[in-house]
Amino acid sequence: MTTVLTPASPLTAADRCDRCGAQAYLRVVLMSGGELLFCAHHGRKFEPELKKIAAEIQDETERLTTVPASASEDER
């Protein structure tokens, strides 16, 4: 997915996918105003259509595969 780097605030666990209610990892700012939030699954599913209507896409899906700094050596 194409990512536009913006000074937008990071997504948190309180941000939920507008489609299914799962944690959101993508924020899509619409050209017409407003925004949509999507989980990684729905962000990928709707990517072609979103690119047509998005002014910006904030993609934080890399957080799904990063290992927390607090993880033990066994968890890394």
Side-chain angles (χ1 to χ4, degrees):
M1 180 163 287
T2 302
T3 304
V4 175
L5 299 176
T6 64
S9 59
L11 294 166
T12 68
D15 293 310
R16 310 313 284 180
C17 176
D18 290 328
R19 183 74 174 142
C20 70
Q23 184 173 346
Y25 288 93
L26 286 102
R27 174 182 285 128
V28 180
V29 179
L30 303 174
M31 286 188 261
S32 61
E35 68 180 25
L36 297 170
L37 300 175
F38 291 100
C39 63
H41 165 78
H42 285 112
R44 285 189 297 271
K45 181 176 180 179
F46 300 123
E47 179 180 7
E49 284 72 36
L50 292 173
K51 286 182 173 181
K52 294 175 188 175
I53 61 172
E56 299 177 32
I57 297 176
Q58 179 183 349
D59 183 353
E60 296 184 10
T61 55
E62 77 281 350
R63 292 178 29 213
L64 292 167
T65 57
T66 58
V67 178
S70 62
S72 69
E73 286 299 317
D74 293 339
E75 294 175 309
R76 292 177 188 260

